PDB file of all heavy atoms in Angstrom:
ATOM      1  N   ASP A 278       0.206  11.028 -76.303  1.00 97.00           N
ATOM      2  CA  ASP A 278       0.259   9.722 -76.933  1.00 97.00           C
ATOM      3  C   ASP A 278      -0.049   8.658 -75.881  1.00 97.00           C
ATOM      4  O   ASP A 278       0.780   8.316 -75.046  1.00 97.00           O
ATOM      5  CB  ASP A 278       1.621   9.472 -77.561  1.00 97.00           C
ATOM      6  CG  ASP A 278       1.716   8.134 -78.341  1.00 97.00           C
ATOM      7  OD1 ASP A 278       0.823   7.268 -78.134  1.00 97.00           O
ATOM      8  OD2 ASP A 278       2.647   7.980 -79.103  1.00 97.00           O
ATOM      9  N   PHE A 287      -4.485  11.331 -61.315  1.00 98.00           N
ATOM     10  CA  PHE A 287      -5.864  10.948 -61.555  1.00 98.00           C
ATOM     11  C   PHE A 287      -6.759  11.622 -60.533  1.00 98.00           C
ATOM     12  O   PHE A 287      -6.473  11.554 -59.322  1.00 98.00           O
ATOM     13  CB  PHE A 287      -6.015   9.437 -61.466  1.00 98.00           C
ATOM     14  CG  PHE A 287      -7.434   8.917 -61.618  1.00 98.00           C
ATOM     15  CD1 PHE A 287      -7.863   8.412 -62.851  1.00 98.00           C
ATOM     16  CD2 PHE A 287      -8.322   8.902 -60.559  1.00 98.00           C
ATOM     17  CE1 PHE A 287      -9.171   7.926 -63.023  1.00 98.00           C
ATOM     18  CE2 PHE A 287      -9.639   8.404 -60.731  1.00 98.00           C
ATOM     19  CZ  PHE A 287     -10.018   7.917 -61.951  1.00 98.00           C
ATOM     20  N   ASN A 295     -28.765  16.147 -57.560  1.00 96.00           N
ATOM     21  CA  ASN A 295     -29.869  16.505 -56.663  1.00 96.00           C
ATOM     22  C   ASN A 295     -29.380  17.119 -55.329  1.00 96.00           C
ATOM     23  O   ASN A 295     -30.214  17.509 -54.504  1.00 96.00           O
ATOM     24  CB  ASN A 295     -30.725  15.271 -56.359  1.00 96.00           C
ATOM     25  CG  ASN A 295     -31.472  14.772 -57.594  1.00 96.00           C
ATOM     26  OD1 ASN A 295     -32.010  15.547 -58.354  1.00 96.00           O
ATOM     27  ND2 ASN A 295     -31.457  13.462 -57.820  1.00 96.00           N
ATOM     28  N   PRO A 313       7.659   3.016 -63.054  1.00 95.00           N
ATOM     29  CA  PRO A 313       9.125   2.768 -62.956  1.00 95.00           C
ATOM     30  C   PRO A 313       9.889   3.842 -63.703  1.00 95.00           C
ATOM     31  O   PRO A 313      10.997   4.212 -63.278  1.00 95.00           O
ATOM     32  CB  PRO A 313       9.259   1.361 -63.651  1.00 95.00           C
ATOM     33  CG  PRO A 313       7.915   0.754 -63.562  1.00 95.00           C
ATOM     34  CD  PRO A 313       6.950   1.894 -63.657  1.00 95.00           C
ATOM     35  N   ASN A 375     -19.269  -9.719 -62.167  1.00 82.00           N
ATOM     36  CA  ASN A 375     -17.945  -9.494 -62.674  1.00 82.00           C
ATOM     37  C   ASN A 375     -17.038  -8.570 -61.823  1.00 82.00           C
ATOM     38  O   ASN A 375     -15.903  -8.309 -62.199  1.00 82.00           O
ATOM     39  CB  ASN A 375     -17.972  -8.979 -64.106  1.00 82.00           C
ATOM     40  CG  ASN A 375     -18.733  -7.662 -64.216  1.00 82.00           C
ATOM     41  OD1 ASN A 375     -18.870  -6.907 -63.215  1.00 82.00           O
ATOM     42  ND2 ASN A 375     -19.196  -7.327 -65.393  1.00 82.00           N
ATOM     43  N   PHE A 407     -16.832   2.481 -68.223  1.00 96.00           N
ATOM     44  CA  PHE A 407     -17.528   3.759 -68.373  1.00 96.00           C
ATOM     45  C   PHE A 407     -18.776   3.557 -69.215  1.00 96.00           C
ATOM     46  O   PHE A 407     -18.707   2.935 -70.298  1.00 96.00           O
ATOM     47  CB  PHE A 407     -16.615   4.803 -68.989  1.00 96.00           C
ATOM     48  CG  PHE A 407     -15.306   4.953 -68.281  1.00 96.00           C
ATOM     49  CD1 PHE A 407     -14.094   4.691 -68.918  1.00 96.00           C
ATOM     50  CD2 PHE A 407     -15.278   5.378 -66.958  1.00 96.00           C
ATOM     51  CE1 PHE A 407     -12.902   4.828 -68.269  1.00 96.00           C
ATOM     52  CE2 PHE A 407     -14.060   5.514 -66.289  1.00 96.00           C
ATOM     53  CZ  PHE A 407     -12.884   5.241 -66.973  1.00 96.00           C
ATOM     54  N   ARG A 410     -22.305   6.896 -72.919  1.00 94.00           N
ATOM     55  CA  ARG A 410     -22.571   8.309 -73.212  1.00 94.00           C
ATOM     56  C   ARG A 410     -21.787   9.184 -72.255  1.00 94.00           C
ATOM     57  O   ARG A 410     -22.176   9.386 -71.112  1.00 94.00           O
ATOM     58  CB  ARG A 410     -24.077   8.551 -73.123  1.00 94.00           C
ATOM     59  CG  ARG A 410     -24.864   7.804 -74.193  1.00 94.00           C
ATOM     60  CD  ARG A 410     -26.373   7.891 -74.031  1.00 94.00           C
ATOM     61  NE  ARG A 410     -27.065   7.187 -75.095  1.00 94.00           N
ATOM     62  CZ  ARG A 410     -27.310   5.863 -75.049  1.00 94.00           C
ATOM     63  NH1 ARG A 410     -26.911   5.125 -74.004  1.00 94.00           N
ATOM     64  NH2 ARG A 410     -27.933   5.280 -76.052  1.00 94.00           N
ATOM     65  N   ALA A 445      -5.936  24.886 -64.324  1.00 81.00           N
ATOM     66  CA  ALA A 445      -4.926  24.588 -63.272  1.00 81.00           C
ATOM     67  C   ALA A 445      -3.965  23.510 -63.721  1.00 81.00           C
ATOM     68  O   ALA A 445      -2.847  23.456 -63.199  1.00 81.00           O
ATOM     69  CB  ALA A 445      -5.610  24.204 -61.984  1.00 81.00           C
ATOM     70  N   ARG A 469     -28.497  28.401 -53.253  1.00 55.00           N
ATOM     71  CA  ARG A 469     -27.549  28.212 -52.163  1.00 55.00           C
ATOM     72  C   ARG A 469     -28.150  27.558 -50.902  1.00 55.00           C
ATOM     73  O   ARG A 469     -27.564  26.707 -50.313  1.00 55.00           O
ATOM     74  CB  ARG A 469     -26.888  29.529 -51.783  1.00 55.00           C
ATOM     75  CG  ARG A 469     -25.781  29.392 -50.759  1.00 55.00           C
ATOM     76  CD  ARG A 469     -25.096  30.728 -50.488  1.00 55.00           C
ATOM     77  NE  ARG A 469     -23.983  30.542 -49.510  1.00 55.00           N
ATOM     78  CZ  ARG A 469     -22.760  30.200 -49.888  1.00 55.00           C
ATOM     79  NH1 ARG A 469     -22.458  29.937 -51.139  1.00 55.00           N
ATOM     80  NH2 ARG A 469     -21.829  30.048 -49.003  1.00 55.00           N
TER      81      ARG A 469
END
Side-chain angles (χ1 to χ4, degrees):
D278 185 343
F287 176 98
N295 293 316
N375 59 21
F407 307 118
R410 294 172 180 85
R469 186 176 182 86

